[in-house]
Amino acid sequence: MQIHLTDIENAATRIAAFACDFRPTRLTDADLGLCGRSLADTYAVAVAGRGEHAPLAALAYLSRAGLLHNHTGQGASLWGRSERAAPEIAAWWNGIAGHVLDYDDVTVPMRGHPSVVLWPALLALAEDRGLMGERLSSAFTVGMEVIGKLSRAMALSHYAAGWHSTATIGALGAAVACCHLLDLNARQIVHAIGIAVAQAAGTRENVGSEGKSFQAGHANAVAVRAASLAEAGFEAGAGALDGPNGFLALYAGDDAPHDWLAELDEAPLELRRSGLDVKQYPMCYATHRALDAVLALRAAHGVRLDDAERVDITTSHGALVPLVHPNPRTGLEGKFSMPYAMAAALKDGAIRLTSFVDASVQRPDIQAFFPRVHATESAGPATPRWAEVTITLRDGRQLHQRVQTLRGSAQQPLDAAELAAKLDDCMAWTGVAARGPELLALARQCHARPARALITDLQAIVASAVKETA
């Protein structure tokens, strides 16, 4: 069933028409390259996260519940592991592993992480169904478009009200992406949106805890479940998104503009317009501009932690909202702490995965420096984002650095070697030998490979690299 624009009555039918009409042939080589880079980054970060406490606890839960199996060809893979599960379960677990380190990519309008709520769901379904890869990249692009447009309509006030937009907005975009992947008709997509709305949840109170990664995993499970139920004929309210008591009214209130759908499917697509910011540092993105600044000052002037009397950060309005741990004691808390970011950068000269073991955060000189870090927000507009750092030295001198464009952002992307180096760091975190360039090259061919072959080869890279380091 195809819905023409003249027949559209609400937001769900407009989105459904877009998702039905979008064709993989619309993607340029540059678009396909962006999708492949995003897949490589998301998969590598999940492999790095697979041994963290949250995914291991989730694995124990799945094992006790009898939800795991090792039968090749059935279900979908748990990334970096031998176990398999039904696609909904695999997407959930891979989403947890992909988000627990907070090292996965972001997109600015969302105030959240799009790839980690798209790729686990899409790959789990595609692997389970034995689909060809040509719709993987187009499904990712469709999901990005829905996430981007919803985010422009509501993310700022939604996030400020306490919602975790990665989990909420992400679940809806991922559900539509899964529908496109499965080539569902417009009526089915409308129902899938309603089913996804019925499950969308996530609070910023879980920031700095394992609950945040659960919420990312849950968004993937929501997407797979919503698309699969709609495919089976399960129905939902057509106005669940923008009706009087729908998602926008409940989750965004009166702040959401009414013309947010006007640019859906208009050039440039959100994949190009908003783009993806690949993280250089495995911690909350709200610290990254300040980190770029302080590391640049350290490199230029040779300043170290012992030289600094205090650090002052001024940044754009709303930028500090996720940084909820001024005095962290654990590695996970440290990921959401500006004082720890500044102290660790000055002491170590880098922020890596090893920065977020508990012992690194608990170093006495690091803990003692926390009161010397002072961060404030500007009263100006929330965007464009920027940060200015001033280091006051013990001898009275002051060093200044302002950063607006981040390395790794859509405006200043990492080159292939820099991205491969991040992939290597992720794999090394769990004892896997360097395979970054190989992993990146494989992921960039995701549109041209059968999904099962793609996953088999990705998993083989990890397995073979583990053997080399044994």
Side-chain angles (χ1 to χ4, degrees):
M1 171 184 175
Q2 184 175 9
I3 296 179
H4 298 284
L5 296 186
T6 54
D7 300 325
I8 289 171
E9 297 178 356
N10 60 26
T13 54
R14 174 68 178 92
I15 291 170
F18 158 68
C20 282
D21 292 343
F22 195 86
R23 293 290 176 265
T25 53
R26 287 185 54 185
L27 300 182
T28 66
D29 288 344
D31 297 330
L32 295 173
L34 286 173
C35 293
R37 286 166 60 92
S38 169
L39 172 57
D41 185 64
T42 306
Y43 180 82
V45 170
V47 169
R50 64 185 171 155
E52 298 298 305
H53 180 265
L56 292 179
L59 193 70
Y61 158 74
L62 294 176
S63 179
R64 286 195 298 270
L67 296 172
L68 298 173
H69 59 75
N70 292 297
H71 304 298
T72 303
Q74 293 184 12
S77 302
L78 271 58
W79 294 350
R81 300 191 61 92
S82 61
E83 295 91 346
R84 304 175 67 82
E88 180 182 318
I89 299 300
W92 175 74
W93 190 87
N94 291 333
I96 292 173
H99 196 53
V100 70
L101 294 173
D102 221 282
Y103 208 6
D104 47 305
D105 66 26
V106 303
T107 190
V108 173
M110 185 190 195
R111 302 209 69 175
H113 305 254
S115 295
V116 78
V117 295
L118 289 169
W119 284 121
L122 292 172
L123 283 175
L125 273 176
E127 182 183 8
D128 179 62
R129 303 291 186 94
L131 302 179
M132 296 300 294
E134 65 175 359
R135 289 186 76 88
L136 278 172
S137 292
S138 63
F140 181 83
T141 304
V142 165
M144 277 290 296
E145 184 72 4
V146 175
I147 285 171
K149 293 301 184 288
L150 273 172
S151 295
R152 293 181 187 280
M154 64 180 288
L156 193 60
S157 60
H158 180 71
Y159 191 87
W163 295 101
H164 181 207
S165 52
T166 297
T168 51
I169 296 172
L172 302 189
V176 177
C178 288
C179 290
H180 174 85
L181 178 73
L182 297 177
D183 201 18
L184 301 191
N185 64 42
R187 180 179 178 82
Q188 290 170 317
I189 297 173
V190 169
H191 291 311
I193 291 170
I195 297 167
V197 168
Q199 307 169 78
T203 170
R204 284 199 294 108
E205 283 298 320
N206 275 324
V207 169
S209 77
E210 293 176 348
K212 185 171 185 280
S213 64
F214 171 88
Q215 290 172 179
H218 177 66
N220 282 280
V222 165
V224 173
R225 189 182 303 129
S228 300
L229 281 169
E231 182 185 36
F234 205 100
E235 298 183 350
L241 184 55
D242 65 343
N245 300 302
F247 180 84
L248 284 167
L250 296 175
Y251 288 63
D254 297 330
D255 294 326
H258 299 291
D259 59 350
W260 63 278
L261 276 174
E263 295 182 341
L264 185 72
D265 199 24
E266 295 291 329
L269 293 168
E270 290 292 339
L271 179 64
R272 307 164 197 161
R273 180 183 179 188
S274 298
L276 295 165
D277 293 5
V278 174
K279 281 190 168 186
Q280 284 280 284
Y281 315 112
M283 68 183 305
C284 180
Y285 208 49
T287 64
H288 284 215
R289 286 176 175 80
L291 279 170
D292 268 8
V294 77
L295 288 170
L297 290 172
R298 188 184 190 276
H301 301 279
V303 62
R304 301 295 185 265
L305 184 66
D306 290 342
D307 303 319
E309 179 64 30
R310 62 181 283 156
V311 177
D312 292 278
I313 305 103
T314 304
T315 187
S316 44
H317 179 69
L320 302 176
V321 171
L323 303 179
V324 295
H325 290 293
N327 298 291
R329 294 292 303 174
T330 68
L332 189 53
E333 290 176 351
K335 288 177 177 289
F336 301 91
S337 174
M338 184 68 84
Y340 180 64
M342 297 297 97
L346 284 171
K347 183 172 179 65
D348 302 326
I351 299 294
R352 301 187 179 93
L353 287 166
T354 52
S355 304
F356 298 98
V357 297
D358 291 352
S360 294
V361 179
Q362 292 166 5
R363 288 174 288 178
D365 53 347
I366 293 285
Q367 290 280 320
F369 196 78
F370 292 163
R372 299 176 181 271
V373 178
H374 306 272
T376 58
E377 293 179 357
S378 167
T383 56
R385 295 289 189 199
W386 56 272
E388 186 168 299
V389 171
T390 299
I391 303 175
T392 301
L393 303 179
R394 293 187 183 274
D395 63 11
R397 289 181 297 144
Q398 289 189 325
L399 307 174
H400 304 276
Q401 184 80 21
R402 181 184 173 94
V403 170
Q404 181 165 320
T405 303
L406 276 167
R407 290 189 310 115
S409 67
Q411 294 74 37
Q412 191 178 336
L414 304 181
D415 62 28
E418 290 171 324
L419 179 55
K422 175 185 174 178
L423 307 183
D424 284 341
D425 184 45
C426 288
M427 300 177 82
W429 178 243
T430 51
V432 177
R435 282 286 197 277
E438 185 180 352
L439 174 59
L440 179 58
L442 179 59
R444 293 185 70 168
Q445 290 300 309
C446 66
H447 62 282
R449 303 285 308 281
R452 286 178 181 167
L454 173 67
I455 291 296
T456 296
D457 289 348
L458 287 171
Q459 297 281 82
I461 288 175
V462 176
S464 64
V466 168
K467 291 177 183 177
E468 287 186 8
T469 59

